Amino acid sequence: MGDDSLTKTKNQALEQSEGSTIQMNPDTPLQAFLQRWQGVLLITPCVAGFIIAGSYLGIFRVLEWLILDQFFLLRPQEPVDERIAIVTIDEEDIDYVVQWPMSDQVMAKLLRNIKAKNPNAIGLDIYRDLPVEPGHEERVEVFKTTPNLIGINKIAGDTIDPPPTLADKDQVAANDMFLDNDGKIRRALVLGEAESGLMQGFGVKLALDYLADQDIELEALNPEKQIFGLGQATFIPLSKNDGFYKESDLGWYQILVNYRGGLDRFPNISMTDVLENRIPENFFRDRIVFIGAKAPSLNDNYLTPYNSNLAVPTDLMPGVVIHANITSQILSAAVSGRPMLRATTKPIHWLLIVVWSGYSATLGSFYIRRRWMTLLGLLIAVVIIVVSSYSAFLYGWLVPVFTPLLAVVVAATLSVGQVLWQNLMISYQKLEDYARNLEDKVKERTAELAHANQEISQLNEKLKAENLRMSAELDVARQLQYMILPNPDELEAIEGLDLAGFMEPADEVGGDYYDILCTDNVVTIGIGDVTGHGLESGILMMMTQTVVRTLDEIRERDPVKFLDTLNRTLYKNVQRMNSDRNLTLAILNYTDGKVSISGQHEESIVVRAGGIIERIDTMDLGFPIALDDDIADFIDRALIELHPGDSIVLYTDGIPEAENMENEQYGLERLCDVISQNWDKSANAIKDAIIDNLRHFIGKQKVFDDITLVVLKQEV
């Protein structure tokens, strides 16, 4: 067979791979269709089924929430709601009233000053089930004579009773909050069940009382399904069939919160200003007035979708502001038709996954002959998913984004891979045909071998080029690692500490990690060692640096939360990579001469004045990262106080386990001796002394492991 025959064979293979199967001379059009699209028909249900199962089990919902939270940040800012005013209680206000809880006398004065300004209603988001002298009788009298005052009652979990005076007058509401799995509040209580009977949510009751004055009343549209109308608004309870929630997440009558914004979206005034009667003219008149805490010490601040900002850390939202958002949502929906927020049902969610899986798998099947169409089609799919979901959000619907995108990516990857594999199988089949005819076609085979030899040469050249490309990519990855290491200018800018760092990978891409960060005068130092070497280890190292910096930027100082969040994030990424990589990691937090060490890694070496060495064993301070999904119970910390001139030396096992030509290890004792002998030098000089001594010890022996070293010294 000659060149014309080979060209014909290649074209036949491409035509057959277009349908993702080998043609077997089908007898009917149906058989021809099934053979042509066998790959698409197999990949679509498999990918869709896998993602639907994961979605049903709640595996992807945190990622879905994270993406949908971005829509709150991206949409146009809502105007200030002039129907609501908030009286905030901050740390300065607590200092002003001297004691907390505030006395009944102070509370009575606060309510009288507000009441005198003729508000429509007053929502007191402060528990007051017991007297707080002095002034109990005075406060009870104010409660009795204020018919538009609403108190609070916690009805879920550890219940807290309402103020008895307000409870007797049915002027109480439930202020319970519902936290999603990621700790954020996205749901509001409309109606719950207390010991005294059914009870409306705090923000809901204030909104309904306000609307009742405007002759807007709640009416039953479908009592069986608990669907109610309120002016232009329709209340539909959140169910297990909606969005990303399971039956265990739901209870009583809940809706999704369509936030207006933070405290800046409502007129607000401090409690001190109200007590001193520094109230602007008509500030409270005809408004719903909320009174509640924003002071961090009172622990009434919560995570909301606004805390999902990936670029800038945002403050927690006070509970009283969340209740104000709920009231504002209901008022705007009932009066002006502002959309309530609803989630698409699970069947629609699953249908989207099936549709996008089939669409993507079909595009992937054209990859060989129409690569441009495949790539353009996938890009269009991504744009459609994101833009349509955002548009639906603006109209009050939460449409999933992550799982459809995941379906597009996974289905396209499998479909392209299946096409490439099928094309390879077709080539193998043709080669088998050639082999069976070898004895009858010796002359033709000789020509084929010559041609094959030429192709092999070309493949070898391509392989060399591919090896060069892969080496270049690894070199880029190594450069990226070095780019994210702290630079000398950053270290010199940190006051009170003399810092030095060193890292040298054994391969083109190493698995060692260290970083030094300074936020709010707290210096965070991380050092770790990823198992193995090469690109996977380097990627895990860079993921570690990213997560550590993120946690530092959001001021997470609790070592258990810090390392547990880091571990969960990396564990899920490693599982997705189908990798067995993990790492040891120690995190040090330094402030004002005090050091906290957490995490399992090599021993930390403390050198005191005169070269006295202390070795801190970190074995019981943590657990290897990304080895298990929950390590919170293993995390502990050690506290060290540094005096001027004291130093701490951190390192990876590449130093003590380095070998010389006689296969003798460098060892921890030799390292401690070098540190002790150079204790009075600068951090950089101590680092150089260690590295110089190590290189002299290793000699011409090959370096088998990455070498990383960090030295910090308390300045005199």
Side-chain angles (χ1 to χ4, degrees):
M1 296 174 65
D3 291 344
D4 292 341
S5 178
L6 287 173
T7 302
K8 181 180 179 182
T9 299
K10 179 179 178 182
N11 291 336
Q12 289 174 345
L14 289 172
E15 292 171 358
Q16 291 170 339
S17 67
E18 183 84 11
S20 302
T21 186
I22 301 174
Q23 298 295 335
M24 299 300 293
N25 297 321
D27 296 328
T28 66
L30 177 60
Q31 289 177 332
F33 174 82
L34 292 176
Q35 288 182 3
R36 178 175 178 80
W37 301 105
Q38 179 181 359
V40 174
L41 296 174
L42 179 63
I43 290 172
T44 298
C46 289
V47 171
F50 168 76
I51 297 178
I52 289 172
S55 178
Y56 180 79
L57 295 173
I59 295 174
F60 307 120
R61 59 180 177 175
V62 172
L63 293 170
E64 289 283 14
W65 285 331
L66 179 63
I67 295 176
L68 293 173
D69 287 349
Q70 306 309 307
F71 293 167
F72 282 98
L73 303 171
L74 292 173
R75 74 177 177 183
Q77 190 175 61
E78 299 275 354
V80 173
D81 195 333
E82 298 292 347
R83 298 163 298 191
I84 296 171
I86 301 177
V87 178
T88 61
I89 303 172
D90 212 337
E91 303 294 352
E92 294 80 4
D93 301 299
I94 297 174
D95 293 338
Y96 178 81
V97 299
V98 180
Q99 71 177 70
W100 192 265
M102 75 174 83
S103 69
D104 286 343
Q105 185 179 56
V106 172
M107 181 175 286
K109 179 180 179 181
L110 176 68
L111 293 173
R112 281 198 303 268
N113 288 355
I114 296 174
K115 181 180 176 182
K117 300 300 181 179
N118 299 316
N120 178 275
I122 304 173
L124 183 62
D125 190 21
I126 301 173
Y127 294 113
R128 190 46 57 101
D129 53 326
L130 298 172
V132 182
E133 296 292 356
H136 175 61
E137 295 300 328
E138 183 181 356
R139 190 259 296 167
V140 169
E141 182 61 26
V142 172
F143 278 13
K144 287 181 179 179
T145 58
T146 310
N148 60 346
L149 173 64
I150 305 298
I152 56 173
N153 181 189
K154 190 176 186 303
I155 63 176
D158 297 328
T159 60
I160 300 177
D161 293 334
T165 306
L166 296 179
D168 293 340
K169 300 174 66 179
D170 195 27
Q171 290 177 220
V172 294
N175 73 327
D176 297 81
M177 300 283 193
F178 298 109
L179 272 65
D180 287 337
N181 281 22
D182 59 351
K184 295 185 178 69
I185 293 179
R186 300 181 179 88
R187 294 170 284 151
L189 174 64
V190 174
L191 193 66
E193 187 171 355
E195 292 182 0
S196 59
L198 294 177
M199 182 173 291
Q200 294 171 346
F202 186 45
V204 175
K205 183 171 180 61
L206 288 164
L208 293 179
D209 289 349
Y210 182 93
L211 293 171
D213 294 341
Q214 302 181 22
D215 297 326
I216 300 177
E217 301 283 351
L218 201 66
E219 57 177 325
L221 302 180
N222 188 334
E224 292 183 0
K225 295 184 177 180
Q226 295 183 305
I227 299 176
F228 298 93
L230 183 68
Q232 299 183 45
T234 302
F235 284 81
I236 302 175
L238 194 62
S239 73
K240 65 180 181 180
N241 198 40
D242 293 335
F244 319 109
Y245 293 101
K246 298 184 289 188
E247 187 171 9
S248 59
D249 298 322
L250 305 174
W252 300 327
Y253 197 119
Q254 300 179 28
I255 60 173
L256 293 172
V257 181
N258 191 4
Y259 283 93
R260 177 174 291 272
L263 182 61
D264 63 324
R265 295 297 90 197
F266 304 94
N268 59 89
I269 187 173
S270 72
M271 182 178 71
T272 301
D273 286 342
V274 176
L275 289 172
E276 294 188 352
N277 238 340
R278 296 196 299 264
I279 305 171
E281 186 70 21
N282 296 324
F283 187 79
F284 290 136
R285 178 175 293 276
D286 297 328
R287 285 176 170 169
I288 300 173
V289 179
F290 283 89
I291 306 172
K294 63 174 283 193
S297 62
L298 299 182
N299 294 322
D300 194 26
N301 298 300
Y302 301 90
L303 292 169
T304 67
Y306 294 99
N307 295 108
S308 296
N309 194 319
L310 301 178
V312 180
T314 52
D315 295 332
L316 301 180
M317 185 176 291
V320 68
V321 178
I322 295 175
H323 291 303
N325 269 279
I326 296 169
T327 300
S328 175
Q329 173 181 345
I330 295 172
L331 295 181
S332 296
V335 175
S336 58
R338 180 176 181 259
M340 300 287 279
L341 198 59
R342 292 192 60 196
T344 55
T345 61
K346 286 184 172 63
I348 293 178
H349 181 183
W350 298 340
L351 177 62
L352 289 174
I353 293 172
V354 172
V355 169
W356 287 114
S357 296
Y359 170 87
S360 186
T362 302
L363 284 177
S365 69
F366 293 103
Y367 183 77
I368 295 293
R369 293 289 292 272
R370 299 178 181 87
R371 182 175 303 182
W372 65 269
M373 184 175 73
T374 299
L375 298 178
L376 179 60
L378 294 176
L379 178 61
I380 292 173
V382 171
V383 173
I384 290 175
I385 291 170
V386 174
V387 172
S388 62
S389 295
Y390 179 67
S391 300
F393 172 77
L394 295 179
Y395 285 94
W397 285 93
L398 292 182
V399 179
V401 178
F402 177 78
T403 42
L405 289 177
L406 182 62
V408 168
V409 173
V410 174
T413 302
L414 292 178
S415 183
V416 170
Q418 193 266 349
V419 168
L420 294 174
W421 175 258
Q422 193 65 52
N423 191 54
L424 182 61
M425 291 300 99
I426 293 171
S427 300
Y428 283 163
Q429 182 178 356
K430 295 302 179 181
L431 288 175
E432 290 177 359
D433 292 340
Y434 299 155
R436 283 193 294 267
N437 297 326
L438 182 60
E439 292 182 358
D440 299 330
K441 301 180 179 179
V442 176
K443 292 182 181 180
E444 291 88 344
R445 188 58 174 168
T446 301
E448 288 181 23
L449 289 174
H451 185 75
N453 184 60
Q454 182 180 359
E455 289 187 341
I456 290 172
S457 298
Q458 294 174 351
L459 288 174
N460 283 334
E461 292 300 320
K462 290 182 179 180
L463 183 59
K464 291 178 182 178
E466 182 68 14
N467 286 337
L468 289 174
R469 184 189 66 80
M470 291 180 63
S471 177
E473 289 180 351
L474 289 174
D475 185 64
V476 169
R478 178 176 59 81
Q479 292 181 42
L480 288 174
Q481 284 184 288
Y482 277 109
M483 287 171 65
I484 62 175
L485 292 177
N487 59 58
D489 292 339
E490 291 179 67
L491 303 185
E492 290 177 4
I494 298 175
E495 297 180 356
L497 281 181
D498 182 14
L499 295 157
F502 175 87
M503 188 175 80
E504 180 176 274
D507 292 332
E508 290 173 293
V509 179
D512 276 8
Y513 155 77
Y514 88 91
D515 204 354
I516 301 172
L517 307 169
C518 183
T519 305
D520 296 339
N521 294 321
V522 177
V523 180
T524 299
I525 302 175
I527 185 166
D529 187 3
V530 182
T531 57
H533 305 282
L535 190 57
E536 277 191 8
S537 298
I539 290 174
L540 185 53
M541 172 269 194
M542 287 188 279
M543 287 192 293
T544 302
Q545 193 276 344
T546 300
V547 178
V548 168
R549 177 169 281 277
T550 300
L551 291 171
D552 182 74
E553 287 295 326
I554 65 173
R555 278 69 171 175
E556 181 56 72
R557 305 303 182 203
D558 185 297
V560 176
K561 291 182 180 178
F562 191 106
L563 288 172
D564 188 55
T565 302
L566 171 69
N567 175 73
R568 291 177 185 275
T569 303
L570 296 186
Y571 177 82
K572 292 177 181 178
N573 278 354
V574 168
Q575 294 300 307
R576 178 177 289 178
M577 291 163 57
N578 195 24
S579 172
D580 59 354
R581 295 286 195 268
N582 60 80
L583 72 151
T584 61
L585 177 67
I587 297 294
L588 282 73
N589 283 321
Y590 167 90
T591 180
D592 296 330
K594 294 180 174 57
V595 178
S596 168
I597 304 178
S598 300
Q600 188 183 100
H601 188 59
E602 304 295 322
E603 291 185 10
S604 298
I605 300 175
V606 181
V607 56
R608 305 288 187 182
I612 299 173
I613 296 293
E614 297 176 13
R615 290 162 55 174
I616 308 300
D617 189 355
T618 64
M619 184 59 64
D620 295 328
L621 301 183
F623 195 80
I625 303 297
L627 190 60
D628 190 85
D629 63 337
D630 188 359
I631 65 169
D633 293 338
F634 298 94
I635 300 171
D636 203 347
R637 66 176 177 177
L639 298 176
I640 301 170
E641 184 169 356
L642 294 182
H643 304 291
D646 290 351
S647 302
I648 296 179
V649 177
L650 308 173
Y651 57 92
T652 58
D653 60 4
I655 291 179
E657 294 178 6
E659 295 182 352
N660 59 16
M661 295 300 293
E662 289 73 38
N663 295 326
E664 177 188 5
Q665 290 192 347
Y666 184 75
L668 191 55
E669 294 298 331
R670 186 177 277 104
L671 174 60
C672 290
D673 289 342
V674 176
I675 296 170
S676 178
Q677 293 166 12
N678 294 274
W679 72 271
D680 56 340
K681 298 180 180 178
S682 68
N684 202 56
I686 295 174
K687 180 259 295 181
D688 289 341
I690 294 171
I691 297 303
D692 290 344
N693 187 267
L694 177 65
R695 293 191 189 282
H696 182 267
F697 174 83
I698 294 173
K700 297 182 179 180
Q701 176 66 282
K702 180 181 177 181
V703 177
F704 295 100
D705 200 1
D706 307 330
I707 295 173
T708 300
L709 179 67
V710 177
V711 180
L712 66 151
K713 185 166 187 173
Q714 177 80 30
E715 291 184 347
V716 178

